Amino acid sequence: MEKTFSIIKPDAVKNGNIGKILAIVEENGFRIVAMRMTKLSKSQAEGFYAVHSERPFFNSLVTFMTEGPVVLLALEREDAVKKLREVMGATNPANAADGTIRKLFAESIERNSMHGSDAPETAAEELKYFFTGVDLNQL
Ligand code: CMP
């Protein structure tokens, strides 16, 4: 079993798509290990996306990620990192396959409804960034 980290982003929360996205996630065999709805602070969003700090879209991305509530998720299944990225689809919804979360719900390459860790090592870091050991171990 592998864990991955995910965020249902402000566009999807605002558009009323939390339930539909969670249903797709569960239908694809993921167990929700921890979940929290919150509004990210500027420093939380900047820290989370620090790897992108030199990119031209960084400030806009931080503004977007702090504009409204998000849902933080710890998800578990076999091959969870790779499988979630398949279920989410390509970063740019214009390139996402039919039936993927981003094809169904995303508004643009920035407002793309969902984040998923890109590797098991990144998942471990991202899970630690938002969830305490208690949240992850109690279930
Ligand atoms: P995510 O998978 O969370 O990782 C980084 C985020 O930056 C990405 O989803 C998008 O929300 C955003 N992003 C990536 N590339 C671009 C881009 N070219 N223009 C604007 N936003 C982007």
Side-chain angles (χ1 to χ4, degrees):
M1 279 298 171
E2 185 176 82
K3 286 193 184 73
T4 191
F5 175 73
S6 180
I7 305 177
I8 301 177
K9 296 187 181 185
D11 63 306
V13 174
K14 188 160 72 185
N15 292 332
N17 290 325
I18 296 174
K20 283 171 253 179
I21 289 174
L22 290 178
I24 294 171
V25 166
E26 289 194 319
E27 281 158 13
N28 278 278
F30 290 89
R31 195 168 72 90
I32 299 171
V33 179
M35 176 163 69
R36 186 166 83 248
M37 191 165 184
T38 186
K39 192 162 179 294
L40 300 185
S41 68
K42 186 164 183 270
S43 67
Q44 276 179 313
E46 285 172 346
F48 181 72
Y49 281 122
V51 66
H52 296 304
S53 60
E54 302 304 318
R55 303 282 193 96
F57 58 78
F58 180 70
N59 288 338
S60 174
L61 175 61
V62 168
T63 299
F64 160 54
M65 289 300 292
T66 57
E67 76 175 28
V70 297
V71 179
L72 308 174
L73 295 165
L75 301 173
E76 185 178 70
R77 62 157 279 163
E78 259 176 45
D79 216 7
V81 169
K82 185 164 161 255
K83 185 66 188 174
L84 186 67
R85 290 175 73 80
E86 284 171 21
V87 170
M88 283 196 309
T91 304
N92 186 345
N95 302 326
D98 284 347
T100 59
I101 287 169
R102 284 167 169 163
K103 182 69 166 194
L104 287 167
F105 304 117
E107 297 176 353
S108 67
I109 191 167
E110 177 174 89
R111 304 176 70 82
N112 65 355
S113 297
M114 197 174 201
H115 168 81
S117 306
D118 64 5
E121 302 72 34
T122 324
E125 289 302 314
E126 293 181 348
L127 287 165
K128 258 195 297 182
Y129 190 80
F130 283 117
F131 289 112
T132 65
V134 174
D135 285 331
L136 289 179
N137 293 330
Q138 68 194 358
L139 299 169

